[in-house]
Amino acid sequence: SPQAIEVVVREADRNDIKLALRGAPEEVAGLFFGAMSERSAKLMRDEMAASGPVRMRDVEEAQSALVRC
């Protein structure tokens, strides 16, 4: 639900969100970006685009951390 995503965006570690969204479908990432301020969403997208390759295991661990929020 949108409210649950807003809670995760507020409570979760920013690096976990960034890493988790690297492996998420665009529609799911869009839900998270929609729960952020426009400035925060743009900054996170820019940081994600600028970061290098990540291990899938790290992405999965970050996604699990978000689920636990």
Side-chain angles (χ1 to χ4, degrees):
S1 78
Q3 293 84 7
I5 291 174
E6 287 176 13
V7 169
V8 171
V9 167
R10 270 196 321 270
E11 303 292 328
D13 180 79
R14 181 174 170 77
N15 289 323
D16 282 343
I17 295 173
K18 188 170 33 177
L19 194 54
L21 293 181
R22 290 284 301 262
E26 184 56 38
E27 63 217 20
V28 173
L31 292 172
F32 279 84
F33 292 132
M36 299 175 186
S37 70
E38 191 174 321
R39 182 173 173 262
S40 292
K42 181 185 181 329
L43 183 61
M44 184 166 288
R45 284 186 188 271
D46 291 348
E47 289 172 1
M48 289 169 62
S51 63
V54 295
R55 293 183 302 191
M56 186 51 77
R57 184 180 58 158
D58 293 338
V59 170
E60 291 168 351
E61 287 175 5
Q63 289 173 342
S64 293
L66 295 189
V67 170
R68 289 190 299 269
C69 273

